């Protein structure tokens, strides 16, 4: 650990105290039980105006249309190319997302990985959309021997492609929505994995975040961070463990430096606002406006 | 690394040279690409006379019958209790395995973990069924900064329960056959995960070993070890990577010190024996009789 102030971009106050108090208390927990899970969109990086994965998929569409202009005639793609929000709404985001997924069917994991990396190399501004205070929190947890995992509603392979570079998180430490794979042999008989259109299991939001943590990681978190209703079950699961625990949710309340909105992604229902419901569950709400001195890397 | 002879329990010869030659060549590979996968039954520990997981399940049955003697009347359980091999054959191992799985339905991951640990604590001889040369190989790979994963046809949660203690492998580094989980809330509203009877995805043998490696780990192995037809696709997948690679399969050819048999688990079909087919694919065959000076820990 460096000698500077811990969580340097966090303002003094009850929230920072709660986070540091938990981390210090966790020093008494067996190292292999120091497990922290983080949602990605809106928790580790900014999800406005668009999810970065959506931007990537639209970029894939642009490239595909350049190679085959007839693709632009397809209803779902045409609505995106024309930025026709009423057509997009009519078609529905789910159908559009599946149409975009088709653009990557039949390619190997290494090729998908290369495409994602190329997108971020060509669009370096996404690195600046990470939240500096959360990067510091990742480092602080690791300095206290936590294993850190990302548990995203987004595509597992998409997050894996930038996880090491953006967050210091290895591919096996990313839990997300899983695409299907087909095992085939090429002409020489060598085995290959090709992406299919099916999803493997459920979209990783809500209760599936908890079941997928158990399935893929086999470890129970004592710390969880999220920002939307779809993270609630994961936050509750961390809080319900034995011993020290902490769950935080990011309140996007800074219209000036980021955006002012309350996330509605996910299925958790509560009386009143999501944040009020989260508070009643014992979740610590992090105000971007009040708790963070800096939001984005300088 | 200690100063002793590398792979101390391996005899001098072409096999040991091939293994060490690969490990040294991998020093030139990026650290995050140094990925090794190991089958478990018959590769890291002895699978004769029974799979240890089968012994555990029969022990669970014994406990369940002690608590509820009426269970002994159930056809599948009666055949096991009576060691009635003709009845077992008639019922079929698959139906018996599912009946045994029922004994753990509705319990939480931590309870299942505790049951497995208790079984191995009460039956310490299983530690002595690990293969000493393979334990040394795990250590040698880790000394060269490999990430080591277990990819077993057995139950993921079963292997996880002993992975750290037996092999130094963390729960998230175990890929196996996955049981289903149900997310429920207890009377106080706290979230709980309960085991169900369904399997999540396919049994982890054959091509599913490869797809599950990608799904759960997101990393491609450059080293793979197995011992049965169900490992073949995984071995081929490792060999088909770019750069240095090695795949080994254990030949159980030592009737005196272990057992003499050729595994038939899995679906890989080849002309002639499994081992001949593996050799044709470029897999290095490890003779327990000739290549291992010691088989079990002393």
């Amino acid at each position: 650990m460096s000698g500077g102030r811990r969580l340097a971009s966090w303002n003094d106050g009850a929230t920072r105290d709660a986070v540091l108090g938990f981390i210090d208390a966790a020093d008494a927990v067996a190292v292999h039980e120091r497990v922290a899970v983080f949602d990605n969109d809106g928790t580790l990086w900014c999800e406005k105006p668009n999810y970065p994965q959506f931007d990537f998929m639209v970029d894939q569409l642009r490239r595909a249309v350049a190679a085959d202009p007839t693709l632009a005639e397809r209803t779902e793609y045409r609505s995106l190319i024309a930025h026709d929000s009423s057509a997009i709404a009519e078609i529905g985001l789910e159908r559009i997302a599946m149409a975009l997924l088709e653009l990557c069917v039949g390619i190997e994991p290494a090729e998908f990985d290369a495409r994602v990396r190329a997108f971020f190399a060509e669009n370096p501004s996404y690195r600046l959309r990470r939240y500096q205070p959360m990067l510091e929190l990742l480092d602080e947890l690791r300095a206290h021997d936590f294993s850190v995992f990302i548990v995203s509603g987004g595509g597992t392979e998409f997050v894996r492609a930038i996880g090491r570079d953006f967050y210091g998180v290895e591919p096996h430490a990313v839990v997300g929505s899983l695409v299907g794979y087909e095992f085939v042999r090429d002409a020489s008989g060598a085995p290959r994995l090709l992406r299919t259109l099916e999803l493997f299991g459920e979209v990783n939001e809500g209760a599936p975040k908890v079941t997928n943590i158990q399935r893929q990681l086999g470890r129970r978190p004592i710390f969880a961070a999220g920002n939307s209703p779809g993270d609630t079950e994961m936050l509750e699961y961390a809080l319900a463990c034995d011993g020290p625990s902490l769950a935080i949710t990011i309140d996007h309340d800074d219209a000036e430096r980021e955006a002012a909105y309350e996330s509605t992604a996910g299925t958790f229902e509560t009386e009143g606002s999501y944040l009020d419901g989260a508070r009643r569950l014992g979740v610590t709400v992090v105000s971007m406006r009040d708790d963070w001195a800096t939001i984005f890397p300088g």
Side-chain angles (χ1 to χ4, degrees), chain A:
Chain A
M1 296 172 66
S2 72
R5 179 175 173 270
R6 298 166 75 190
L7 301 182
S9 300
W10 294 63
N11 289 323
D12 285 329
T15 305
R16 181 170 177 276
D17 289 347
V19 172
L20 288 176
F22 161 74
I23 292 173
D24 292 339
D27 284 344
V29 174
V31 166
H32 67 257
E33 291 176 359
R34 296 184 204 166
V35 174
V37 292
F38 288 80
D39 171 57
N40 185 30
D41 293 305
T43 300
L44 290 177
W45 68 9
C46 179
E47 62 189 355
K48 299 291 181 185
N50 297 319
Y51 292 118
Q53 188 173 1
F54 181 80
D55 292 345
F56 163 72
M57 294 306 297
V58 170
D59 184 65
Q60 290 291 297
L61 174 60
R62 186 180 58 74
R63 288 164 188 275
V65 168
D68 174 9
T70 66
L71 282 174
E73 295 160 22
R74 185 166 161 176
T75 310
E76 298 93 335
Y77 297 156
R78 196 170 54 217
S79 72
L80 286 169
I81 293 165
H83 298 287
D84 183 343
S85 51
S86 68
I88 290 171
E90 193 178 322
I91 295 164
L93 269 181
E94 192 173 335
R95 197 177 128 197
I96 287 176
M98 291 308 284
L100 288 173
L101 267 180
E102 279 186 50
L103 299 171
C104 293
V105 165
I107 68 173
E108 292 186 89
E111 165 67 14
F112 183 80
D113 187 69
R115 290 189 189 185
V116 177
R117 288 168 189 266
F119 174 76
F120 283 100
E122 288 164 24
N123 297 276
S125 66
Y126 287 97
R127 294 184 67 85
L128 304 175
R129 289 171 63 171
R130 297 175 298 165
Y131 299 138
Q132 176 64 27
M134 297 302 278
L135 299 178
E136 294 166 7
L137 179 53
L138 294 175
D139 287 343
E140 182 71 21
L141 287 164
R142 282 190 277 242
H144 286 257
D145 293 326
F146 270 78
S147 296
V148 171
F149 301 99
I150 294 178
V151 181
S152 171
T156 305
E157 304 291 22
F158 177 78
V159 178
R160 280 172 171 163
I162 49 94
R164 185 181 293 126
D165 181 31
F166 274 42
Y167 306 120
V169 170
E170 293 294 305
H172 63 262
V174 175
V175 180
S177 299
L178 280 167
V179 77
Y181 282 106
E182 184 184 11
F183 179 93
V184 299
R185 292 181 184 283
D186 65 21
S188 75
R192 297 173 64 191
L193 284 187
L194 304 182
R195 287 172 68 101
T196 70
L197 194 52
E198 77 183 304
L199 283 182
F200 183 70
E202 298 164 283
V203 171
N204 195 39
E205 285 283 359
K209 282 205 172 186
V210 178
T211 51
N212 286 334
I213 285 170
Q214 180 59 38
R215 281 174 184 144
Q216 189 173 325
L217 306 178
R219 301 172 71 175
R220 180 159 189 166
I222 66 172
F223 173 90
N227 81 309
S228 79
D231 299 316
T232 308
E233 287 86 348
M234 176 172 81
L235 302 185
E236 287 183 86
Y237 190 59
L239 288 175
C241 74
D242 296 330
S245 65
L246 183 70
I248 66 173
T249 191
I250 311 298
D251 183 3
H252 301 272
D253 59 355
D254 195 324
E256 197 174 321
R257 296 186 299 169
E258 198 225 19
Y261 68 100
E262 185 156 306
S263 175
T264 55
T267 56
F268 179 72
E269 285 180 24
T270 179
E271 282 185 44
S273 77
Y274 158 64
L275 290 171
D276 288 342
R279 277 191 193 90
R280 279 196 298 274
L281 293 168
V283 174
T284 299
V285 176
V286 176
S287 162
M288 296 181 79
R289 185 189 56 212
D290 300 332
D291 292 319
W292 288 357
T294 301
I295 294 186
F296 299 109

